[in-house]
Amino acid sequence: MADGCACDRHVHMYLTVAEALRRGLSVAHPVTGIETLPLQQAIGRVLAEDCSSKVDMPAFDNSAMDGYAIRTGDLGDGPLFDLPIGGRVAAGDSGAHDAPAGSALRIFTGAPVPPEFDAVMMQEDCEASATHIRFARRPRPGQHIRRAGEDLKAGAPILCRGCEIGPREAAALASSGHGQVRVCRKLKVTIFSTGSELRQPDEELSPGQIYNSNRYMLLALLDKPWVDLTDRGPVADDPDLLEQVLREACDTSDLIITTGGVSVGDEDHMPRLFSEIGGETDVMKVAMKPGKPVMFGRRGDALYIGLPGNPVSAYVTWRIIGSPMMARRAGLRRPRLVSERGVLAEPLQRLPGRQEYRPVRIDGSNSDGRPRLRLLAASYSGRVALLAQADGLAVIPAETGYLPEDHPLEFLRF
Ligand code: AMP
Ligand code: MG
């Protein structure tokens, strides 16, 4: 396993998953174009610059409760306090009032607290008539007042570039006065699935034909507001046709993703064609199961990822290697894949050699509260429907051969 390579039982050398991913990320350069959009159109896009608050939050002293603003200096010795109600301020009012000295001000949550008032009494703690309030507990100065800038001062950082503008980010941007947002331009992605055997799911199958799963899987995986997708559909294993589509895709896209045709069979044309049109291949084989063969490379600014044809392999390689590369290319800064720890619901026996990603179902939890992972069939690489019944992928290290029941195991939740 030294220098990032792993040997399987055959003599070929493969890259480890970690090394392949490292190389993939190192060639996935973030797009540089930036657009400025109104916040409502920027939702789901990738933030292109660090943002700080344009205003103090809150912007002014305001009431945290429905109740009565008072001047604590007006209060006598107690034990019971009695104040006339001299005015009223609600959220959205300017805070102007005509409550005379010695009176309380009816106030509501979010309403500005005028500067001379220094505490708010919760209405639940007051006995109120139409004209007076009475209460027994002396309020603390500052009680139930949210001070201007106490959450965040103008100029304080709120978001780092490279995040996806989701609900929390959109609210943060809005609350701090960002009506216009600078986002990375959309990533131009072209997909096609290679294979003369492929038919659409609404067509009749003739002998030797199968339904095209990968096209729909990729359509779903790439359904993102920051992707500008060109779907070239299926392309037959005809070298001239494949070359034309691949060349066109490389000329017009930031990222090209294909499935199939990257292995060593006579009909596996993609590695040769990519090199013939001037592409430079960075990675050809990765010691992962399922997954090999997978390739990626560059041609000019275009990044090419050739996923295996086998749909489960295509999904797994996408999840482990392709998706982080695409995220980086789109300008996203994301933590690496986050795995969780479960335990085996049954013993595991397999041939060591390649890092394996095995679909698992979560079957309750053990006495420590760890999810119990039930492994789905070992020979699964063509059974893509199994993925839809799984809850995640267990990560089985390359060197692992046998693990007993209840042994800890990392898994990636879907
Ligand atoms: P390949 O990598 O092209 O040799 O394909 C490997 C296996 O995956 C073959 O059995 C193909 O028929 C199958 N396959 C390739 N592409 C697709 C696809 N888009 N949808 C479903 N199966 C596919
Ligand atoms: Mg094929």
Side-chain angles (χ1 to χ4, degrees), residues 193-195 197-198 210-215 237 259-263 268 293 307-311:
S193 18
T194 74
E197 72 277 33
L198 304 176
I210 60 168
Y211 291 127
N212 183 348
S213 323
N214 295 337
R215 179 187 186 192
D237 293 314
T259 60
V262 289
S263 193
D268 294 321
L307 301 173
N310 183 301

Side-chain angles (χ1 to χ4, degrees), residues 45-49 51 159-163 165 181-184:
R45 299 288 295 274
V46 179
L47 190 63
E49 64 181 2
C51 287
L159 291 175
C160 293
R161 75 194 158 88
C163 66
I165 304 176
V181 184
R182 283 158 62 80
V183 296
C184 299

